[in-house]
Amino acid sequence: MDEDRQEVWDALTTRASQLFGKDASEFTEDTEFAALNIKSTQVSQITTYLEDELDIEVPYMKFRRCKTFGEATDFVCELLDE
Protein backbone atom coordinates (compact mmCIF):
# COMPACT_ATOMS: atom_id res chain seq x y z
CA MET A 1 0.00 0.00 0.00
CA ASP A 2 1.49 3.34 -0.96
CA GLU A 3 1.74 6.19 1.53
CA ASP A 4 -1.31 8.15 0.34
CA ARG A 5 -3.48 5.04 0.21
CA GLN A 6 -2.36 4.05 3.70
CA GLU A 7 -3.21 7.52 5.00
CA VAL A 8 -6.69 7.37 3.42
CA TRP A 9 -7.24 3.81 4.71
CA ASP A 10 -6.19 4.77 8.24
CA ALA A 11 -8.49 7.80 8.28
CA LEU A 12 -11.43 5.80 6.91
CA THR A 13 -11.04 2.88 9.31
CA THR A 14 -10.38 5.15 12.29
CA ARG A 15 -13.64 7.04 11.76
CA ALA A 16 -15.58 3.88 10.93
CA SER A 17 -14.33 2.20 14.11
CA GLN A 18 -15.60 5.18 16.14
CA LEU A 19 -19.00 5.15 14.42
CA PHE A 20 -19.60 1.39 14.48
CA GLY A 21 -17.92 0.44 17.75
CA LYS A 22 -15.47 -1.95 16.10
CA ASP A 23 -11.70 -2.17 16.11
CA ALA A 24 -10.16 -0.63 12.98
CA SER A 25 -8.38 -3.94 12.31
CA GLU A 26 -11.78 -5.65 11.78
CA PHE A 27 -12.29 -3.76 8.50
CA THR A 28 -10.93 -5.15 5.25
CA GLU A 29 -10.88 -3.93 1.65
CA ASP A 30 -13.99 -6.09 1.10
CA THR A 31 -15.98 -4.81 4.08
CA GLU A 32 -19.28 -3.58 2.68
CA PHE A 33 -20.89 -0.43 4.01
CA ALA A 34 -24.32 -2.06 3.58
CA ALA A 35 -23.28 -4.88 5.94
CA LEU A 36 -22.76 -2.24 8.62
CA ASN A 37 -26.28 -0.83 8.03
CA ILE A 38 -24.68 2.55 7.40
CA LYS A 39 -26.99 5.54 7.62
CA SER A 40 -26.68 8.73 5.59
CA THR A 41 -25.61 10.68 8.69
CA GLN A 42 -22.76 8.23 9.20
CA VAL A 43 -21.68 8.60 5.56
CA SER A 44 -21.68 12.35 6.11
CA GLN A 45 -19.60 11.98 9.29
CA ILE A 46 -17.07 9.84 7.42
CA THR A 47 -16.76 12.24 4.48
CA THR A 48 -16.42 15.22 6.81
CA TYR A 49 -13.71 13.41 8.79
CA LEU A 50 -11.81 12.52 5.60
CA GLU A 51 -12.06 16.13 4.43
CA ASP A 52 -10.65 17.40 7.72
CA GLU A 53 -7.89 14.80 7.96
CA LEU A 54 -6.77 14.89 4.32
CA ASP A 55 -7.56 18.53 3.46
CA ILE A 56 -9.64 17.65 0.39
CA GLU A 57 -13.26 17.89 -0.65
CA VAL A 58 -15.09 14.54 -0.74
CA PRO A 59 -18.35 14.67 -2.76
CA TYR A 60 -20.96 13.02 -0.53
CA MET A 61 -23.14 11.61 -3.33
CA LYS A 62 -20.21 10.02 -5.17
CA PHE A 63 -18.71 8.63 -1.94
CA ARG A 64 -22.09 7.07 -1.11
CA ARG A 65 -21.90 4.97 -4.29
CA CYS A 66 -18.81 3.16 -3.00
CA LYS A 67 -19.88 -0.31 -1.88
CA THR A 68 -16.75 -1.43 -0.01
CA PHE A 69 -14.01 0.13 2.07
CA GLY A 70 -11.56 -0.68 -0.72
CA GLU A 71 -13.67 1.17 -3.30
CA ALA A 72 -14.02 4.14 -0.97
CA THR A 73 -10.27 4.23 -0.37
CA ASP A 74 -9.57 4.14 -4.11
CA PHE A 75 -12.13 6.88 -4.72
CA VAL A 76 -10.58 9.20 -2.12
CA CYS A 77 -7.07 8.45 -3.45
CA GLU A 78 -8.23 9.60 -6.90
CA LEU A 79 -9.39 12.87 -5.32
CA LEU A 80 -5.95 13.32 -3.76
CA ASP A 81 -4.33 12.88 -7.18
CA GLU A 82 -6.43 15.62 -8.80
Side-chain angles (χ1 to χ4, degrees):
M1 208 179 282
D2 73 19
E3 198 173 309
D4 280 348
R5 194 165 201 293
Q6 187 65 53
E7 185 179 10
V8 171
W9 177 259
D10 290 346
L12 175 62
T13 56
T14 295
R15 189 64 184 122
S17 69
Q18 296 163 345
L19 290 172
F20 300 107
K22 296 180 176 287
D23 191 85
S25 65
E26 292 181 55
F27 300 114
T28 69
E29 295 270 335
D30 298 323
T31 299
E32 293 186 7
F33 289 106
L36 298 169
N37 295 318
I38 193 166
K39 306 205 177 1
S40 57
T41 54
Q42 292 167 317
V43 174
S44 180
Q45 289 173 317
I46 290 172
T47 56
T48 301
Y49 184 82
L50 292 171
E51 288 176 341
D52 292 345
E53 289 296 303
L54 305 170
D55 196 32
I56 57 169
E57 191 169 322
V58 180
Y60 170 84
M61 291 306 286
K62 289 183 180 176
F63 185 89
R64 253 184 83 165
R65 292 187 198 120
C66 298
K67 295 192 181 344
T68 65
F69 277 51
E71 273 183 42
T73 301
D74 291 339
F75 172 68
V76 175
C77 284
E78 287 172 20
L79 297 173
L80 285 174
D81 290 340
E82 288 178 0

